[in-house]
Amino acid sequence: MSTNSEAFPILPDKTVRRVGFGAMQLAGPGVFGPPQDRERALGVLRRAVELGIDHIDTSDFYGPWVVNELIAEALHPYPEGLLLATKIGAYRDQHGGWPPLGHPDALKAQVQDNLRRLRREQLDLVYLRHTVDQPGYTFADQVGALVELREQGLVRGIGLSNVSVEQFEQARAITAIAAVQNSYNVVDRRSARLLDRTAELGTAFVPFFPLGSGFAGSSRAREDAVLQRVAEQRGVTQAQVSLAWLLQRSPNILLIPGTGSPEHLADNTAAEQVRLDPGEVAELDAVVAEGSGLEAPL
């Protein structure tokens, strides 16, 4: 187990705090359309920087376009040291769906779109969001497109999202991978093997849905009961317990909890100061969702 407050080198020349901010929830309901309160959304972004957050995760398909435009409006010109990470590989249809858009030419166009809306000449970190293989190109072709963009100076670091261990290794054989972003939290540990592999290599692992299991039934009820008990004993929030458990799970985990609330933003950031004892960690280790592919304890 690691300490919670140390920084981590997400890029060879860039170290970030282990708790950042995921901007997805700043869009409207369903991550679609504008926020209900634009000034509040802008205020959350500015407050994140005031709290010392130096890692913001976004994408042009949040909204779509809405969140990147909010970030640029709130924070440009950007503070020195702020890392912006974005994702490509999908688009939003008129119903708010997330169809894949993975042709190498489309990926290059998405990078240009992110650059324009974020008002950047270079993107710090770009995740390739993998869905399903499509006819006409391969996963290697997709990774190769990002390598080309990095060689052109448009991208600094290449990341992967929603990938298996095998896909991670395939990409690593082509180029250096700066970070992986998969679902992982107290209940959903299907990416545990990939997390352990990235830890071996010193590669950042950035779990999405760090506060939500996405599972229903007895496992979720058990999760809520354990989180509530530990939170009450500690005098902290259940969200802080969830985040602290992740920070102690592995030293290469970087968190990007999302919120549209300045109060929750401050609470989430303060999770760096919560240190769970071995008994509490063991209780949370034993909470595993049905269908997760793992048995307790982890």
Side-chain angles (χ1 to χ4, degrees):
M1 290 291 179
S2 64
T3 59
N4 292 356
S5 59
E6 70 231 13
F8 186 86
I10 191 169
L11 296 174
D13 59 350
K14 175 59 180 173
T15 298
V16 296
R17 289 176 61 177
R18 294 186 64 203
V19 179
F21 175 63
M24 182 175 73
Q25 293 186 33
L26 297 181
V31 201
F32 202 62
Q36 295 175 336
D37 187 335
R38 185 178 183 85
E39 289 306 312
R40 181 178 173 88
L42 293 170
V44 167
L45 287 162
R46 294 174 181 132
R47 181 59 178 151
V49 171
E50 290 172 357
L51 290 170
I53 288 173
D54 57 5
H55 172 198
I56 295 178
D57 184 85
T58 184
S59 176
D60 217 27
F61 49 72
Y62 293 162
W65 317 309
V66 170
V67 171
N68 276 357
E69 291 173 350
L70 287 169
I71 290 171
E73 180 177 345
L75 302 178
H76 189 273
Y78 296 106
E80 184 177 356
L82 177 65
L83 180 140
L84 294 178
T86 191
K87 283 175 287 298
I88 59 174
Y91 71 99
R92 305 303 298 278
D93 63 23
Q94 60 183 345
H95 305 294
W98 306 76
L101 187 62
H103 189 282
D105 290 341
L107 297 178
K108 293 175 182 179
Q110 289 172 71
V111 165
Q112 294 289 351
D113 289 341
N114 277 272
L115 286 165
R116 183 174 64 257
R117 291 193 176 91
L118 288 169
R119 305 183 204 169
R120 298 290 296 269
E121 295 183 357
Q122 183 184 63
L123 297 174
D124 298 315
L125 174 60
V126 176
Y127 291 97
L128 169 62
R129 181 178 183 266
H130 182 263
T131 50
V132 293
D133 292 331
Q134 301 289 322
Y137 59 88
T138 66
F139 179 60
D141 293 332
Q142 293 179 311
V143 175
L146 283 174
V147 172
E148 288 183 34
L149 292 169
R150 188 180 58 198
E151 291 173 347
Q152 294 168 14
L154 300 178
V155 171
R156 291 180 63 203
I158 296 172
L160 303 172
S161 179
N162 199 38
V163 292
S164 66
V165 175
E166 293 72 24
Q167 290 161 340
F168 172 65
E169 297 292 1
Q170 181 184 357
R172 282 188 62 239
I174 298 170
T175 189
I177 300 300
V180 172
Q181 192 173 125
N182 275 26
S183 178
Y184 192 84
N185 52 59
V186 169
V187 172
D188 180 6
R189 304 187 210 164
R190 289 169 293 178
S191 291
R193 191 163 66 96
L194 180 54
L195 166 58
D196 291 340
R197 178 59 175 149
T198 57
E200 289 176 4
L201 297 167
T203 301
F205 186 96
V206 186
F208 58 78
F209 300 144
L211 295 175
S213 68
F215 289 90
S218 60
S219 294
R220 181 56 189 267
R222 188 165 64 250
E223 172 197 20
D224 289 343
V226 173
L227 286 172
Q228 182 178 359
R229 182 168 61 252
V230 174
E232 289 177 350
Q233 290 171 348
R234 287 273 171 176
V236 298
T237 67
Q238 293 186 42
Q240 287 173 325
V241 172
S242 296
L243 297 174
W245 179 83
L246 283 165
L247 290 171
Q248 289 177 229
R249 167 65 175 85
S250 184
N252 67 317
I253 285 182
L254 305 180
L255 300 181
I256 48 168
T259 181
S261 161
E263 295 77 20
H264 291 163
L265 174 68
D267 286 345
N268 291 342
T269 306
E272 285 181 328
Q273 309 307 317
V274 178
R275 182 70 183 175
L276 304 175
D277 66 35
E280 292 164 337
V281 170
E283 279 192 273
L284 291 163
D285 283 351
V287 179
V288 179
E290 298 168 5
S292 69
L294 294 175
E295 298 179 354
L298 184 63

